[in-house]
Amino acid sequence: MSLLRFLKSLRGRLITLTVVVEIVMISAILWNSQRLAEEHLIRQFELRRAETSSLLQAALAPAMAQRDYADISETLSSAQKLQGMTYLVMFDEDGQRVANVPLDNPRQLPAVDSGNEPIFQRQHLNTRIPIQLEGRNYGALQIGIDLRFLNEARREILLQNIILAIVGILLSTLVLAAIALWLTRRLSALSLASNDLAAGRPYKALNESTDDDIGVVAHAFNGMAAALERRMLDLGHSEAEQRALAETLATERGRLDALLSAMRLGLVFVAKDGRISYLNPAFLKLWTIAFEAQYIDQPVSALRQHLASGLSESAANQLFSGDGSLHEYLLPDGRTITEHSVPVTRTGGSESGHLWIFEDITGERQIAERLVFMAERDSLTTLANRARFDAELDRLLNQAGRDPRLFGALLYFDIDEFKTINDTFGHRAGDNVLIRTADTVSKLVRNNEIFARLGGDEFAIIAPNADQAGAQALAERLLSTVSGMRFDFDNRRLGLTISIGIALFPEHAETAEELVSRADAAMYQAKRGGKNGWRIYRPEHDQSEAMLAHLGWNEKIQAALKENRFVLHYQGVHSTSTGLASHYEALVRMVDPENTTELLLPGSFIPAAERTGRIVDVDRWVMRAAITKLAEMPALAALAINVSARSFDDPTLAGTIRSLLAEFHVEPRRLIVELTETSALANMQDSEQFIKEIRALGCTVCLDDFGVGFSSFAYLKHLSADVLKIDGMFIHNLPSSREDQVFVRAIVEVARGLGKKTVAEFVGDAETLKILTDIGVDYAQGFYLSRPIAEISLP
């Protein structure tokens, strides 16, 4: 079987064919060689016979002419010794025998051969040679030649040719077999590789080293096999990916089911035929539906009929209308639910149904109402805040611009020595003063007048239709009432005074900004006049006094920068979970030039620095000092610095911070840059760019005083801060104010949803800290936790 399989193979057929061809060719060559050898032997024999005949004739002719028979006999004897000569018989011209050598039976002389029979078929050759001399015939010589030597030579040649042919056949067979094996070896490798490839076994590339046809076939096969192998691998990978995808889809389906079940949004999916295919638990809870199964595969009209029982007729008609609009429904229990729908499409774009989304917005609506109130009110005193004040003043002045008959007054005042009260007795005492002052003054303000707290201890009253006399009378009442107030601090009874500036419109200004500036200038005129008084704006005093004030503070701040009389104090920012300080905030102080043992707090010189433009230089000093402190204390986790609104306009500020960090080899993540929300919103474009550059450096950005405006949440998508520091006005009365707790909780939830951390400042007691911890505020800062210190002591 193996031989038969070999003969059927390409290699066996090739070898067999080459051997047969070789045998045929060598046989033809052998036959031709033998034929040529025989012809050569015959020619040699005939040539030898002709030469012998010529010699014998030359030797015997003279002897026959002389009848010298003895010489003839001797010549014949000599000739008989030649190879193959069996006998020689000499006849005279009459045909008579005259001599012979030797003849066994002289009487039986063999007949002369006719010459028609092939020479190699004879054993003897009998021939006669005429003996002539000079044209005369003297007789004839009959010679007998033994042809066996010729046949033996022929046989030897034939034997040699056969041996050579056999050896040639064997050698050529071996050579051709080797060549065939060498040629078919690569074909066998190609066949084996094909079988491996077909069986899915690992494939080894064929040798392509030669440029012959087989090499071309091997190259093409390698390309085909590699492509097929890649496709098989791709198919395997695709199969694995399909399995993984199926597992992922199953997992995601489970997660989606869990997510939909955990969502607060109510979801209803209605198929294209108008039947309900899915209700999530939140929807059942929103509408107090007991069983989900009773509505699955039911028409949506059945669910509409159930939900419409507690709604008005118009609201019921809007349920599941599918018009894409947002609808609101007020339920009998007071809750407000919104509904809107979105079409659900397949991959090809065809619609497969609708998804209705329901949301209970009762809490959000209440918070929004609270936010609207807080957007216009000061959280500490409940007076109108700066935003409301600006809006009302702009509205009134715009009306006055259109109607010349309208006029009024602006009274601008602050509490004398309020900073001393705050620094001496603490923020809680200062807050008490502000609240009582606001309550007391509010009783003197008419319904058509606006009483606002502008910030700190600064207040303003907008008095429409008040002339100079009316404004003066109101100022006198304010002075008298406030001066009659008494406060008990640390067993000491203290009184208050205020300084009031009055500006009239349109007499002193036609724009809100100018009017506030005039009233502010008049207030400082009252302070310089001895405080506890009022002044009406006088332009000539404003110019000289303002220039002197600005120049004085400008020189003080410039001298402090030059003489390095600014210092940093540090207040800890603590983790609410551990109580430990996670980092510190750097607070700038100025050495009092009139008393070098005293430090001026920021409230004394920062406003003047902002008015004179020196705040940018102060910011840069703080940056360098804070980064130097970080370099000196590698174990200090982070340090926060405050950047003023003026610095946002400086396009080189981020580069300055980068250079300082590189100069002192401080990691950017250890520097926290704080900017107030109000200043950031006032310079939105510059703030966005500044925050982007600071975060690109790797520094953390903190938005300070967050929540002072109604639009705080909306602007978070523009101001990509990492930390939100909740404004202190929401923290002061946190234990007793449910509204403040709701707002702080809202800030924390929004911050957590956006991946931001929260910090609460002005934490003054343990109860406030506990509420903040329960709400989820990440960090807290205030006198209850730690006071500002001159040097940081790390554990």
Side-chain angles (χ1 to χ4, degrees):
M1 292 297 294
S2 59
L3 178 60
L4 181 60
R5 188 164 56 250
F6 172 77
L7 292 176
K8 289 182 177 181
S9 67
L10 178 62
R11 177 181 296 176
R13 292 179 179 180
L14 183 60
I15 293 176
T16 302
L17 180 61
T18 53
V19 169
V20 170
V21 170
E22 184 70 15
I23 291 174
V24 171
M25 292 179 63
I26 291 179
S27 297
I29 292 172
L30 177 62
W31 174 81
N32 188 56
S33 176
Q34 185 66 29
R35 179 181 62 81
L36 293 175
E38 289 179 356
E39 290 178 355
H40 179 70
L41 286 175
I42 292 173
R43 283 195 302 271
Q44 291 295 325
F45 173 74
E46 291 296 338
L47 181 60
R48 183 181 174 188
R49 187 176 66 168
E51 290 177 351
T52 303
S53 298
S54 298
L55 289 174
L56 290 175
Q57 183 177 13
L60 292 176
M64 284 295 295
Q66 296 176 7
R67 307 289 182 177
D68 187 355
Y69 298 116
D71 187 28
I72 292 171
S73 295
E74 183 178 354
T75 298
L76 293 179
S77 296
S78 297
Q80 192 266 333
K81 296 178 181 180
L82 296 175
Q83 183 181 11
M85 291 291 187
T86 57
Y87 70 92
L88 291 95
V89 178
M90 186 63 194
F91 294 94
D92 58 15
E93 58 187 356
D94 296 327
Q96 295 297 317
R97 182 185 305 176
V98 292
N100 61 280
V101 178
L103 189 62
D104 294 335
N105 189 1
R107 294 182 180 181
Q108 297 181 354
L109 185 62
V112 176
D113 295 325
S114 63
N116 295 327
E117 187 177 0
I119 193 169
F120 290 110
Q121 294 181 4
R122 306 176 186 176
Q123 292 293 324
H124 289 85
L125 177 64
N126 299 298
T127 182
R128 280 195 178 189
I129 302 172
I131 302 300
Q132 295 177 347
L133 181 63
E134 295 180 355
R136 179 183 175 184
N137 187 24
Y138 288 98
L141 176 65
Q142 183 172 335
I143 304 171
I145 302 173
D146 189 351
L147 296 179
R148 286 180 295 178
F149 78 93
L150 190 61
N151 286 323
E152 288 178 0
R154 175 174 174 269
R155 282 193 298 271
E156 288 179 0
I157 291 173
L158 179 61
L159 181 60
Q160 289 177 0
N161 286 338
I162 291 174
I163 293 173
L164 289 175
I166 293 173
V167 171
I169 290 173
L170 291 176
L171 289 177
S172 62
T173 299
L174 291 176
V175 171
L176 291 174
I179 294 174
L181 289 173
W182 179 78
L183 290 176
T184 57
R185 171 181 58 82
R186 299 170 67 193
L187 294 176
S188 298
L190 183 63
S191 176
L192 293 175
S194 301
N195 292 333
D196 290 341
L197 195 62
R201 291 188 291 270
Y203 162 72
K204 183 179 180 182
L206 297 175
N207 184 14
E208 305 176 12
S209 58
T210 59
D211 296 330
D212 55 11
D213 293 343
I214 296 179
V216 173
V217 172
H219 175 73
F221 179 83
N222 285 339
M224 178 196 69
L228 183 59
E229 190 173 30
R230 285 195 301 271
R231 286 176 173 80
M232 292 298 292
L233 289 174
D234 292 342
L235 183 61
H237 292 158
S238 177
E239 184 179 359
E241 289 175 358
Q242 291 292 332
R243 288 196 298 269
L245 181 59
E247 295 176 359
T248 302
L249 288 175
T251 303
E252 292 300 323
R253 177 65 180 271
R255 291 177 180 171
L256 181 60
D257 290 341
L259 176 62
L260 294 177
S261 299
M263 286 181 66
R264 295 175 56 189
L265 297 176
L267 303 177
V268 179
F269 180 74
V270 179
K272 193 174 183 180
D273 60 0
R275 295 184 176 274
I276 298 171
S277 60
Y278 179 77
L279 299 171
N280 76 332
F283 175 81
L284 303 177
K285 184 177 179 181
L286 285 177
W287 294 93
T288 62
I289 297 175
F291 301 104
E292 171 189 4
Q294 62 181 325
Y295 293 108
I296 299 298
D297 290 332
Q298 295 298 315
V300 71
S301 58
L303 181 59
R304 181 190 298 114
Q305 183 177 1
H306 174 80
L307 301 182
S309 58
L311 304 176
S312 64
E313 183 177 354
S314 60
N317 292 333
Q318 292 176 349
L319 271 171
F320 298 105
S321 61
D323 58 2
S325 302
L326 180 67
H327 301 293
E328 289 189 8
Y329 305 107
L330 181 62
L331 303 188
D333 59 5
R335 291 183 297 128
T336 301
I337 293 179
T338 61
E339 174 215 48
H340 72 280
S341 66
V342 293
V344 180
T345 58
R346 298 185 178 92
T347 304
S350 61
E351 188 175 300
S352 63
H354 271 77
L355 178 67
W356 269 269
I357 304 172
F358 296 83
E359 182 178 8
D360 185 348
I361 63 168
T362 307
E364 287 81 353
R365 187 61 55 82
Q366 293 172 349
I367 292 176
E369 292 172 355
R370 170 63 178 167
L371 291 175
V372 170
F373 175 81
M374 295 178 65
E376 298 181 344
R377 295 288 175 176
D378 175 60
S379 62
L380 181 63
T381 62
T382 70
L383 297 177
N385 62 10
R386 184 63 182 256
R388 172 74 183 283
F389 168 81
D390 290 340
E392 290 294 334
L393 187 58
D394 283 336
R395 182 183 61 79
L396 185 59
L397 291 178
N398 287 334
Q399 289 179 352
R402 294 190 297 270
D403 188 353
R405 295 173 298 175
L406 294 179
F407 59 90
L410 174 64
L411 282 72
Y412 203 98
F413 70 90
D414 68 4
I415 300 172
D416 297 330
E417 304 301 335
F418 179 76
K419 173 183 174 297
T420 303
I421 297 173
N422 235 0
D423 294 345
T424 304
F425 302 106
H427 291 289
R428 191 174 295 278
D431 290 346
N432 187 26
V433 169
L434 294 173
I435 293 170
R436 285 193 57 190
T437 301
D439 291 341
T440 302
V441 174
S442 295
K443 297 174 183 178
L444 305 177
V445 177
R446 297 186 179 94
N447 291 335
N448 68 329
E449 296 173 342
I450 301 296
F451 182 27
R453 180 191 175 205
L454 304 184
D457 64 329
E458 295 181 346
F459 297 87
I461 298 175
I462 303 174
N465 302 320
D467 55 11
Q468 181 173 334
Q472 290 175 352
L474 177 57
E476 288 291 349
R477 290 197 302 272
L478 292 176
L479 289 174
S480 175
T481 302
V482 173
S483 62
M485 297 171 58
R486 293 293 180 267
F487 297 88
D488 292 324
F489 299 127
D490 295 340
N491 299 320
R492 297 177 60 184
R493 179 169 283 261
L494 302 175
L496 290 181
T497 62
I498 59 175
S499 298
I500 306 173
I502 302 173
L504 305 175
F505 64 89
E507 179 181 348
H508 294 148
E510 296 181 353
T511 66
E513 184 178 356
E514 290 178 349
L515 189 63
V516 171
S517 176
R518 303 293 190 262
D520 182 51
M523 182 188 71
Y524 277 100
Q525 293 171 16
K527 284 187 176 294
R528 285 188 291 274
K531 302 180 181 178
N532 191 26
W534 56 266
R535 293 287 188 276
I536 291 181
Y537 173 72
R538 296 177 61 181
E540 65 277 8
H541 287 180
D542 178 30
Q543 293 176 2
S544 59
E545 298 290 343
M547 288 179 64
L548 289 173
H550 287 182
L551 181 60
W553 271 114
N554 186 47
E555 290 177 348
K556 290 178 183 179
I557 295 171
Q558 185 175 2
L561 289 168
K562 183 177 181 180
E563 299 168 9
N564 198 28
R565 284 193 282 105
F566 284 111
V567 296
L568 291 182
H569 280 200
Y570 310 93
Q571 186 175 22
V573 179
H574 299 257
S575 169
T576 56
S577 59
T578 64
L580 300 177
S582 65
H583 64 277
Y584 288 82
E585 181 179 2
L587 306 171
V588 66
R589 305 285 190 263
M590 179 195 286
V591 178
D592 191 342
E594 299 176 0
N595 184 0
T596 56
T597 62
E598 295 292 330
L599 295 177
L600 298 178
L601 296 177
S604 301
F605 59 88
I606 290 297
E610 289 178 339
R611 285 196 298 270
T612 60
R614 284 293 179 183
I615 189 64
V616 175
D617 297 324
V618 175
D619 282 345
R620 289 178 180 268
W621 185 93
V622 171
M623 291 174 193
R624 174 173 286 273
I627 293 174
T628 302
K629 175 61 70 174
L630 287 171
E632 293 173 352
M633 301 184 67
L636 179 58
L639 194 58
I641 61 172
N642 292 277
V643 176
S644 67
R646 281 286 191 94
S647 293
F648 296 163
D649 299 330
D650 185 359
T652 66
L653 184 62
T656 300
I657 295 176
R658 182 190 299 108
S659 300
L660 289 172
L661 291 171
E663 178 183 350
F664 291 97
H665 305 289
V666 172
E667 295 182 32
R669 63 179 179 81
R670 298 177 61 204
L671 182 66
I672 301 173
V673 179
E674 292 190 7
L675 55 153
T676 62
E677 177 193 5
T678 52
S679 62
L681 297 183
N683 302 276
M684 177 63 71
Q685 186 174 0
D686 292 336
S687 300
E688 282 190 80
Q689 182 62 28
F690 177 70
I691 291 174
K692 181 179 179 181
E693 293 175 351
I694 291 300
R695 296 190 76 217
L697 292 179
C699 300
T700 300
V701 176
C702 175
L703 198 59
D704 200 1
D705 299 337
F706 183 79
V708 296
F710 174 70
S711 56
S712 299
F713 294 112
Y715 282 112
L716 276 180
K717 64 180 180 180
H718 300 290
L719 303 175
S720 54
D722 304 290
V723 182
L724 304 181
K725 181 176 280 190
I726 304 170
D727 190 79
M729 68 180 183
F730 304 112
I731 309 300
H732 286 301
N733 301 314
L734 190 65
S736 60
S737 175
R738 182 179 178 276
E739 290 80 3
D740 287 342
Q741 293 178 19
V742 169
F743 192 76
V744 171
R745 191 182 303 276
I747 292 177
V748 172
E749 288 183 357
V750 170
R752 186 179 294 122
L754 296 176
K756 304 178 186 299
K757 299 293 185 180
T758 51
V759 179
E761 57 184 357
F762 297 110
V763 178
D765 52 52
E767 186 178 2
T768 301
L769 179 61
K770 183 178 185 304
I771 293 174
L772 293 171
T773 304
D774 294 340
I775 289 176
V777 175
D778 300 294
Y779 305 102
Q781 182 180 11
F783 283 177
Y784 174 72
L785 295 164
S786 62
R787 290 177 176 271
I789 55 178
E791 291 294 336
I792 301 174
S793 178
L794 297 177

